[in-house]
Amino acid sequence: MNAWLRSLAVYTDPRIIAILFLGFSSGLPLSLVYGTLSAWLAEAGVSMTMIGLFSWASTAYGFKWLWSPLVDRLPIPVLTGLLGQRRAWMIVAQALTALCMIGLGSSDPAHNLLATAGWAVALAFASATQDIVIDAYRVESLKQKELGAGAGNIVLGYRLGMIVSGGGALVLAELFGWFTAYAAMAALMGIGVITVLLSREPARPDVEETSLSADPLGWIRSAVVAPLADFAQRPHWVAILLFIALYKYGDALIGVMANPFYLAIGFTKAEIGLVSKSYGVIMTIAGGLIGGVVVARLGIMRALLICGILQAASNLVFVVQAMVGANLSVFIVTMSVENLAGGMGTAAFVAYLSSLCNVAYTATQYALVSSFMAFTRTIFASGGGWLADQVDWTTYFLISTAAALPGLALLLWMMRAFPTGQTAGMAPGRA
């Protein structure tokens, strides 16, 4: 027990605390492009069809790997010399994000929907750029044993940012109007700016720099091709990508059909919002922090296995929920188990993805593996609706539990296939 308590001390490290505040800065913009903006559009009388189409504004998050090499290697005049590559890009991305928040808040969707759409796209692009550089900064700042705590704090900060820009922005909009709500969120981006200014630039290995203007092809080779080639040189890299796709497959099948299930068995929207979206977020945060401690205590691969087993088993509580129906007490237990285990699994998984990155190409490689994870989860989960139409809910959740097993089996194989003491897939040279 004392060893586990000592593992909690990792959360008192100033670098881990800084990641918490950077996670908050990273989580602020998302709701302003998704839920909060949808509420504003509905109030302005925009059609449901058009509101749905606005989700395309967020495609920047899924394609951030396209410009991540620029973040990795392209210096920003003056600022890079003063602050370093990562801190300079964070300051610029945060400033652009705040500017786009103000621009979006000053638009009028009732009279100029195109301008609102343009600012929403710009905000998503600036926010995705901030995510690229914050992830790179987090990976480069931490040692292997600290990656779990970093993952726990990035999840905590991100969720808090989403809560503030979700519910908090709606309250401000009700009291003072939409511009004030968005301007207040822009002001809160200052938390990230202050954190960057108080933090240190992480050490990075020397890499051969090629000028983009002087030798475009050489720059593309070093900034784009080299990170991919580096990843492909690792033993069993195809298996690693397959594992990334499968680890949270069962979790994805739950997520895609959770709200339709709650409504189908008789819960009200208010009950769903209170228990699933509010209490559930708290349990996810707790799970993320616990997952960080498990990684620090047991190492990444063992933590992935333990958290993965709990994550898969948590799907079975939905079987019980389907059997008892709209029982609120059971619903609270279901949300406790599912979100706690899911948060633990996410923290371990983010730590693993971080360990895959060679610090010479952190931004590019992390953007690639995280985008691949998000894309494959979306593709795999897209069949959940069809499956739910074919079977009853009890069978659906049993199948979702079974869907987690291939990823766990592949994880066990990876743990045995790699040499003793070598973390499966870890980038060489991580301390």
Side-chain angles (χ1 to χ4, degrees):
M1 178 61 68
N2 288 336
W4 283 92
L5 291 176
R6 285 195 300 271
S7 297
L8 285 170
V10 69
Y11 283 106
T12 65
D13 189 298
R15 295 167 300 149
I16 304 294
I17 295 173
I19 287 168
L20 171 65
F21 291 112
L22 291 175
F24 177 82
S25 180
S26 186
L28 269 179
L30 186 61
S31 291
L32 301 180
V33 179
Y34 280 107
T36 301
L37 179 58
S38 296
W40 185 10
L41 294 174
E43 184 181 86
V46 178
S47 70
M48 292 297 107
T49 299
M50 187 58 66
I51 292 174
L53 291 175
F54 257 74
S55 64
W56 285 93
S58 62
T59 53
Y61 292 102
F63 289 93
K64 59 188 178 182
W65 54 272
L66 289 174
W67 68 94
S68 58
L70 297 176
V71 177
D72 228 348
R73 303 292 293 277
L74 192 66
I76 296 177
V78 181
L79 281 180
T80 295
L82 292 174
L83 301 174
Q85 181 77 355
R86 299 309 183 206
R87 294 167 70 214
W89 269 97
M90 277 194 283
I91 290 290
V92 169
Q94 289 164 346
L96 289 175
T97 300
L99 176 64
C100 291
M101 287 178 178
I102 294 173
L104 182 55
S106 64
S107 69
D108 184 358
H111 297 95
N112 192 346
L113 191 60
L114 184 61
T116 301
W119 280 113
V121 171
L123 176 56
F125 180 83
S127 172
T129 303
Q130 181 190 214
D131 290 350
I132 292 171
V133 67
I134 285 178
D135 284 332
Y137 177 86
R138 170 175 55 83
V139 173
E140 292 171 357
S141 298
L142 304 179
K143 298 177 181 179
Q144 179 195 343
K145 63 181 181 181
E146 299 164 335
L147 291 176
N153 262 11
I154 201 74
V155 171
L156 170 57
Y158 200 90
R159 293 285 183 173
L160 292 175
M162 289 180 62
I163 291 171
V164 170
S165 62
L170 290 176
V171 171
L172 288 175
E174 178 71 23
L175 296 174
F176 306 108
W178 288 106
F179 174 77
T180 300
Y182 273 74
M185 298 303 107
L188 287 176
M189 289 297 297
I191 293 175
V193 173
I194 293 171
T195 302
V196 172
L197 295 176
L198 293 178
S199 301
R200 293 182 178 179
E201 178 76 2
R204 302 180 67 204
D206 293 330
V207 293
E208 183 182 351
E209 295 293 344
T210 305
S211 171
L212 177 58
S213 58
D215 185 6
L217 291 179
W219 188 89
I220 290 173
R221 282 195 300 271
S222 62
V224 180
V225 177
L228 297 176
D230 174 81
F231 189 87
Q233 288 174 357
R234 301 176 196 185
H236 307 299
W237 65 272
V238 174
I240 293 169
L241 289 179
L242 185 59
F243 170 70
I244 292 172
L246 292 175
Y247 182 69
K248 293 185 76 69
Y249 184 22
D251 205 37
L253 286 177
I254 290 289
V256 73
M257 292 306 297
N259 285 337
F261 165 66
Y262 304 148
L263 292 169
I265 63 174
F267 285 115
T268 66
K269 290 188 286 292
E271 289 171 333
I272 295 170
L274 182 62
V275 179
S276 176
K277 307 304 179 185
S278 299
Y279 173 74
V281 168
I282 295 172
M283 296 307 294
T284 299
I285 290 172
L289 295 175
I290 294 171
V293 175
V294 174
V295 171
R297 184 76 184 101
L298 302 179
I300 291 175
M301 302 309 291
R302 291 174 65 193
L304 273 174
L305 181 60
I306 291 172
C307 295
I309 292 172
L310 293 175
Q311 185 176 257
S314 71
N315 287 13
L316 295 175
V317 298
F318 283 87
V319 174
V320 178
Q321 188 74 67
M323 291 177 174
V324 302
N327 184 303
L328 196 58
S329 297
V330 176
F331 192 30
I332 293 172
V333 173
T334 298
M335 289 300 95
S336 299
V337 174
E338 197 272 335
N339 285 285
L340 193 68
M344 292 175 65
T346 297
F349 196 43
V350 170
Y352 176 71
L353 295 180
S354 303
S355 75
L356 295 176
C357 299
N358 186 326
V359 291
Y361 316 108
T362 314
T364 301
Q365 288 187 345
Y366 193 87
L368 280 169
V369 295
S370 60
S371 295
F372 180 77
M373 176 268 294
F375 177 75
T376 51
R377 282 188 65 192
T378 300
I379 294 299
F380 287 165
S382 63
W386 174 86
L387 179 61
D389 280 337
Q390 311 305 312
V391 300
D392 59 45
W393 286 115
T394 298
T395 304
Y396 181 87
F397 294 122
L398 289 173
I399 292 174
S400 74
T401 303
L405 299 181
L408 292 175
L410 184 55
L411 173 61
L412 286 170
W413 176 84
M414 290 167 61
M415 293 173 71
R416 293 190 178 100
F418 285 75
T420 303
Q422 179 183 346
T423 301
M426 176 179 293
R430 288 203 64 90

